[in-house]
PDB file of all heavy atoms in Angstrom:
ATOM      1  N   ALA P  50     -32.488  -3.240 -82.515  1.00  0.00           N
ATOM      2  CA  ALA P  50     -32.965  -2.170 -81.637  1.00  0.00           C
ATOM      3  C   ALA P  50     -31.823  -1.611 -80.800  1.00  0.00           C
ATOM      4  O   ALA P  50     -31.803  -0.433 -80.453  1.00  0.00           O
ATOM      5  CB  ALA P  50     -34.066  -2.690 -80.734  1.00  0.00           C
ATOM      6  N   LEU P  51     -30.869  -2.482 -80.507  1.00  0.00           N
ATOM      7  CA  LEU P  51     -29.767  -2.068 -79.650  1.00  0.00           C
ATOM      8  C   LEU P  51     -28.610  -1.478 -80.449  1.00  0.00           C
ATOM      9  O   LEU P  51     -27.866  -0.623 -79.956  1.00  0.00           O
ATOM     10  CB  LEU P  51     -29.259  -3.300 -78.888  1.00  0.00           C
ATOM     11  CG  LEU P  51     -29.495  -3.356 -77.391  1.00  0.00           C
ATOM     12  CD1 LEU P  51     -30.820  -2.743 -77.023  1.00  0.00           C
ATOM     13  CD2 LEU P  51     -29.435  -4.788 -76.916  1.00  0.00           C
ATOM     14  N   ALA P  52     -28.467  -1.945 -81.664  1.00  0.00           N
ATOM     15  CA  ALA P  52     -27.295  -1.580 -82.456  1.00  0.00           C
ATOM     16  C   ALA P  52     -27.157  -0.080 -82.606  1.00  0.00           C
ATOM     17  O   ALA P  52     -28.109   0.636 -82.849  1.00  0.00           O
ATOM     18  CB  ALA P  52     -27.399  -2.229 -83.832  1.00  0.00           C
ATOM     19  N   GLY P  53     -25.960   0.374 -82.444  1.00  0.00           N
ATOM     20  CA  GLY P  53     -25.684   1.775 -82.687  1.00  0.00           C
ATOM     21  C   GLY P  53     -26.445   2.744 -81.824  1.00  0.00           C
ATOM     22  O   GLY P  53     -26.403   3.941 -82.026  1.00  0.00           O
ATOM     23  N   LEU P  54     -27.153   2.232 -80.849  1.00  0.00           N
ATOM     24  CA  LEU P  54     -27.911   3.113 -79.974  1.00  0.00           C
ATOM     25  C   LEU P  54     -27.091   3.466 -78.740  1.00  0.00           C
ATOM     26  O   LEU P  54     -26.760   2.595 -77.947  1.00  0.00           O
ATOM     27  CB  LEU P  54     -29.175   2.379 -79.515  1.00  0.00           C
ATOM     28  CG  LEU P  54     -30.522   2.921 -79.947  1.00  0.00           C
ATOM     29  CD1 LEU P  54     -31.590   2.420 -79.004  1.00  0.00           C
ATOM     30  CD2 LEU P  54     -30.498   4.431 -80.013  1.00  0.00           C
ATOM     31  N   ASP P  55     -26.808   4.719 -78.569  1.00  0.00           N
ATOM     32  CA  ASP P  55     -26.047   5.114 -77.385  1.00  0.00           C
ATOM     33  C   ASP P  55     -26.985   5.350 -76.229  1.00  0.00           C
ATOM     34  O   ASP P  55     -26.968   6.390 -75.584  1.00  0.00           O
ATOM     35  CB  ASP P  55     -25.265   6.397 -77.661  1.00  0.00           C
ATOM     36  CG  ASP P  55     -24.070   6.112 -78.543  1.00  0.00           C
ATOM     37  OD1 ASP P  55     -23.637   4.951 -78.587  1.00  0.00           O
ATOM     38  OD2 ASP P  55     -23.586   7.058 -79.185  1.00  0.00           O
ATOM     39  N   VAL P  56     -27.800   4.371 -75.966  1.00  0.00           N
ATOM     40  CA  VAL P  56     -28.875   4.562 -75.017  1.00  0.00           C
ATOM     41  C   VAL P  56     -29.062   3.281 -74.217  1.00  0.00           C
ATOM     42  O   VAL P  56     -28.899   2.185 -74.746  1.00  0.00           O
ATOM     43  CB  VAL P  56     -30.173   4.902 -75.780  1.00  0.00           C
ATOM     44  CG1 VAL P  56     -31.386   4.626 -74.952  1.00  0.00           C
ATOM     45  CG2 VAL P  56     -30.140   6.347 -76.254  1.00  0.00           C
ATOM     46  N   PHE P  57     -29.350   3.433 -72.955  1.00  0.00           N
ATOM     47  CA  PHE P  57     -29.696   2.268 -72.156  1.00  0.00           C
ATOM     48  C   PHE P  57     -31.189   2.044 -72.268  1.00  0.00           C
ATOM     49  O   PHE P  57     -31.976   2.945 -71.965  1.00  0.00           O
ATOM     50  CB  PHE P  57     -29.312   2.483 -70.699  1.00  0.00           C
ATOM     51  CG  PHE P  57     -27.905   2.070 -70.392  1.00  0.00           C
ATOM     52  CD1 PHE P  57     -26.854   2.965 -70.552  1.00  0.00           C
ATOM     53  CD2 PHE P  57     -27.637   0.781 -69.975  1.00  0.00           C
ATOM     54  CE1 PHE P  57     -25.547   2.574 -70.280  1.00  0.00           C
ATOM     55  CE2 PHE P  57     -26.337   0.395 -69.693  1.00  0.00           C
ATOM     56  CZ  PHE P  57     -25.289   1.281 -69.850  1.00  0.00           C
ATOM     57  N   ALA P  58     -31.584   0.873 -72.695  1.00  0.00           N
ATOM     58  CA  ALA P  58     -32.999   0.583 -72.875  1.00  0.00           C
ATOM     59  C   ALA P  58     -33.388  -0.631 -72.040  1.00  0.00           C
ATOM     60  O   ALA P  58     -32.612  -1.556 -71.890  1.00  0.00           O
ATOM     61  CB  ALA P  58     -33.291   0.313 -74.342  1.00  0.00           C
ATOM     62  N   SER P  59     -34.580  -0.610 -71.505  1.00  0.00           N
ATOM     63  CA  SER P  59     -35.043  -1.734 -70.706  1.00  0.00           C
ATOM     64  C   SER P  59     -35.698  -2.774 -71.602  1.00  0.00           C
ATOM     65  O   SER P  59     -36.057  -2.493 -72.743  1.00  0.00           O
ATOM     66  CB  SER P  59     -36.055  -1.257 -69.680  1.00  0.00           C
ATOM     67  OG  SER P  59     -37.238  -0.846 -70.340  1.00  0.00           O
ATOM     68  N   ALA P  60     -35.872  -3.971 -71.053  1.00  0.00           N
ATOM     69  CA  ALA P  60     -36.528  -5.027 -71.812  1.00  0.00           C
ATOM     70  C   ALA P  60     -37.922  -4.564 -72.216  1.00  0.00           C
ATOM     71  O   ALA P  60     -38.320  -4.671 -73.372  1.00  0.00           O
ATOM     72  CB  ALA P  60     -36.616  -6.298 -70.973  1.00  0.00           C
ATOM     73  N   GLN P  61     -38.624  -4.033 -71.276  1.00  0.00           N
ATOM     74  CA  GLN P  61     -39.975  -3.558 -71.556  1.00  0.00           C
ATOM     75  C   GLN P  61     -39.940  -2.485 -72.636  1.00  0.00           C
ATOM     76  O   GLN P  61     -40.776  -2.457 -73.529  1.00  0.00           O
ATOM     77  CB  GLN P  61     -40.608  -2.987 -70.290  1.00  0.00           C
ATOM     78  CG  GLN P  61     -40.504  -3.888 -69.086  1.00  0.00           C
ATOM     79  CD  GLN P  61     -41.772  -4.681 -68.813  1.00  0.00           C
ATOM     80  OE1 GLN P  61     -42.752  -4.575 -69.538  1.00  0.00           O
ATOM     81  NE2 GLN P  61     -41.746  -5.487 -67.765  1.00  0.00           N
ATOM     82  N   GLY P  62     -38.963  -1.604 -72.538  1.00  0.00           N
ATOM     83  CA  GLY P  62     -38.847  -0.529 -73.514  1.00  0.00           C
ATOM     84  C   GLY P  62     -38.589  -1.066 -74.908  1.00  0.00           C
ATOM     85  O   GLY P  62     -39.216  -0.640 -75.876  1.00  0.00           O
ATOM     86  N   ILE P  63     -37.676  -2.006 -75.004  1.00  0.00           N
ATOM     87  CA  ILE P  63     -37.368  -2.589 -76.306  1.00  0.00           C
ATOM     88  C   ILE P  63     -38.593  -3.290 -76.859  1.00  0.00           C
ATOM     89  O   ILE P  63     -38.915  -3.183 -78.033  1.00  0.00           O
ATOM     90  CB  ILE P  63     -36.193  -3.579 -76.174  1.00  0.00           C
ATOM     91  CG1 ILE P  63     -34.930  -2.794 -75.825  1.00  0.00           C
ATOM     92  CG2 ILE P  63     -36.007  -4.368 -77.443  1.00  0.00           C
ATOM     93  CD1 ILE P  63     -33.722  -3.670 -75.574  1.00  0.00           C
TER      94      ILE P  63
END
Side-chain angles (χ1 to χ4, degrees):
Chain P
L51 249 36
L54 245 202
D55 285 338
V56 159
F57 272 88
S59 68
Q61 310 261 1
I63 293 176

